[in-house]
Structures are given as structure tokens and as C-alpha cells.
Amino acid sequence: MAKAVANLTTIFLTSSAIFFSILVMHANATEKSYSFSRTLPPQSLGLKREKLTHLHFFFHDVTTGTNTTNAVVAMAQSTNASATVFGEVVMVDDPLTVGPEKSSKPVGRAQGIYASASKSEISFLMVLNLVFSEGEYNGSTISILGRNSIFTPLREMPIVGGSGKFKFARGYAHASNYDFNVTKSLNAVVEYDVYVLHY
Ligand SMILES: *[C@@H]1O[C@H](CO)[C@@H](O)[C@H](O)[C@H]1NC(C)=O
Ligand SMILES: *[C@@H]1O[C@H](CO)[C@@H](O)[C@H](O)[C@H]1NC(C)=O
Ligand SMILES: *[C@@H]1O[C@H](CO)[C@@H](O)[C@H](O)[C@H]1NC(C)=O
Ligand SMILES: *[C@@H]1O[C@H](CO)[C@@H](O)[C@H](O)[C@H]1NC(C)=O
């Protein structure tokens, strides 16, 4: 009887040992098949030589009429009393065209947010995705995150990334008012020159 118990104990201990080593091996195998990071040669993603692309287009922000392209989505209690509309947050889906006329050929949209971020002048925080629809850039995007002091003749805003043809994008956008006169209307046509490094 004592021998049988001893045998059973041995069997139990042996099978437990096998079971745990399988567990450990399994855990190690699992860790190996999900590696968190690795170094790759850039060619493995087809990245060859970085190139510089210049894009030129007009941006239409339409505030009045039946087809507005922006919407005020938030403001502070104090915004209406602020000379710089500080705190106003505007969502836009603004057309981008080749020429300055609204009827000119569309090349994409500027989709995102601008928000009044200065108490001393009208200056916006711009968070925009430029979504292109033209030619080889159809479906590619460029992301802008920058400061836009809208009465300064030439504004510069950083490009912080992109997708599609603009993966790994960096660069800057220059913006200048083409047709914007607040005494006439709040509609604005803005000329954009975008200089972007990408692969
Ligand atoms: C599992 O990984 C640990 C730590 O990396 C290592 O010490 C152990 O020997 C590995 N076990 C097996 C069964 O591979
Ligand atoms: C407003 O936009 C829609 C969709 O783009 C278009 O079909 C419509 O003709 C436009 N209306 C006016 C008054 O421009
Ligand atoms: C600001 O003024 C507009 C227009 O008069 C009004 O519709 C809006 O409710 C006001 N906003 C606040 C936060 O008071
Ligand atoms: C852009 O791509 C979309 C989706 O693939 C397609 O429907 C559209 O016709 C294309 N536009 C142009 C101008 O090539």
C-alpha cells in the first residue's frame, strides 16, 4: 500500500513537472512569435530616396449661404465678448481647388478643426487633414498642425505626417489670403503652397 502511494506520488510529481515545463516552453514560444520591436532596412518597405513635392491649391472656407463648409462646434461663455473670438472651435470640410474660383477643378478637401487660440490677435490652432482626390495622390493625406494668424500676409504651418503617397511626410505649408475681406463676408479663399518631403 505504501509502495502504491509512493508510486502514485512519483507519477503525480513527474506528470506535474512535464506539465509545467510544457507551460514554460509554451510561454516562451508565445513570446517569440509576438516580438514587440525589430530593426528593418528602409528598403523592406520600398523606401528608396526621399523626394520633395510642391503642391499648390486654393482653400475655400464658406461661412455664409446655403452650402457652408464649416460649423462652430464649441465656444466659451466669454467667446462672444472676445475681440479675437478666443475659444471658438470650428469644424471644417473645405474644398481645395486648382484655381481660385470655387468652380475650379477640385483636388481634395481640408477636413479638421480650427480654433481661436490667441487673446491678443485672431490666430487659430489648425488641426487639418488634407485629403487629396487628384491623380496619383487620390486617397493620400497630409496632416497639418500649426498656428495660423489669419491677417498675417504669409503663415507657415508644419506638416506633421501623412498617409498613402505621403507616408513619413514632413515639411511645411505656406498660406496667404487670396480673397478675404471681413467687411464684405466671412468667406475666405486662401492660397496654399505645400512643400513636403516623402518617399
Ligand atoms: C524561457 O525563457 C527564460 C527567460 O528568457 C529562460 O530563462 C528559460 O530557459 C526559457 N525556457 C525554455 C524552456 O526555453
Ligand atoms: C450644395 O452642395 C451640394 C453638394 O456638393 C450641391 O449638390 C448643391 O448644388 C450645392 N448647392 C448650392 C446652392 O450651391
Ligand atoms: C454667442 O452669440 C451667438 C449669437 O448671438 C449665440 O447664438 C450664442 O449662443 C452665444 N454663445 C454663448 C456661449 O453665449
Ligand atoms: C479617387 O479614388 C476613388 C476611390 O478609389 C474613385 O472613386 C475616384 O473616382 C478617384 N478620383 C479621381 C479623380 O481619380
Side-chain angles (χ1 to χ4, degrees), residues 66-67 102 109:
T66 49
N67 266 349
K102 187 96 179 303
R109 319 278 303 183

Side-chain angles (χ1 to χ4, degrees), residues 75-77 80:
M75 66 170 64
Q77 279 297 325
N80 278 343

